[in-house]
Amino acid sequence: MGYDDPWYDALASGWGEPTGTGAPTAVHPALPAVRPAAEPAVRRQEGGADAVDVYLQVQRSAAFQEVRRRYRSFVVPAVVVFCAWYVAYVVTATAAPDLMARPVAGAVNVGLLAGLGQFLTTFLLTWAYTRHARLRRDRAALELRWDTQELARERGGAS
């Protein structure tokens, strides 16, 4: 099973940017066409280096790929598990109302506990995501950011 990453090997200004031909371009077939801007999205710097080249070089680097891999290794399973839990809750509430109406303690029933569990799961997932980002990605992403800025300065690009 492959994962299609829309940011892989795509320009930062990429999809839907004006073509510079003067003719209106549509970002998406369902959206109206827009006139291209007079200035290109990324201008060539005085040193001859293009800011796009810097970011493409960084994007292809092993450090960037590692940060993206760490991000996907948490987010993809978390989304799958959370969506499965949500769908199971909705399907159970629809298909087995007697089960959801079963009392647990007083007026509290299984459906109420499962609904509150959805909120609890959301908060736990948010906490786990921030912890994962802090422990496994933030430092590497910050180092990558500094390296990118340094590379842009060396090539005469904007900082």
Side-chain angles (χ1 to χ4, degrees):
M1 176 175 127
Y3 176 75
D4 185 28
D5 187 355
W7 293 108
Y8 183 77
D9 230 7
L11 295 175
S13 60
W15 185 76
E17 286 294 316
T19 60
T21 62
T25 58
V27 173
H28 187 273
L31 299 176
V34 294
R35 292 255 173 223
E39 294 286 321
V42 178
R43 289 180 255 164
R44 291 237 172 231
Q45 302 299 325
E46 294 167 3
D50 199 0
V52 172
D53 294 335
V54 170
Y55 287 102
L56 284 175
Q57 180 181 349
V58 170
Q59 184 181 25
R60 291 181 180 120
S61 70
F64 181 82
Q65 296 303 321
E66 180 64 18
V67 169
R68 294 294 297 167
R69 186 194 64 76
R70 289 178 183 179
Y71 170 78
R72 285 189 304 262
S73 71
F74 179 85
V75 169
V76 171
V79 166
V80 168
V81 167
F82 185 78
C83 286
W85 159 230
Y86 177 73
V87 168
Y89 169 70
V90 171
V91 168
T92 305
T94 305
D98 293 336
L99 172 67
M100 297 298 257
R102 185 172 294 160
V104 175
V108 178
N109 60 21
V110 173
L112 181 62
L113 290 178
L116 292 173
Q118 291 289 315
F119 285 102
L120 179 63
T121 304
T122 302
F123 292 123
L124 287 174
L125 188 59
T126 302
W127 171 80
Y129 176 81
T130 57
R131 183 175 187 274
H132 181 269
R134 182 174 33 91
L135 295 177
R136 307 208 192 253
R137 291 192 327 265
D138 286 353
R139 183 176 308 256
L142 185 59
E143 289 172 4
L144 189 61
R145 179 180 178 185
W146 286 113
D147 292 345
T148 303
Q149 290 176 351
E150 184 178 316
L151 185 60
R153 277 193 295 276
E154 287 174 4
R155 289 191 172 193
S159 57

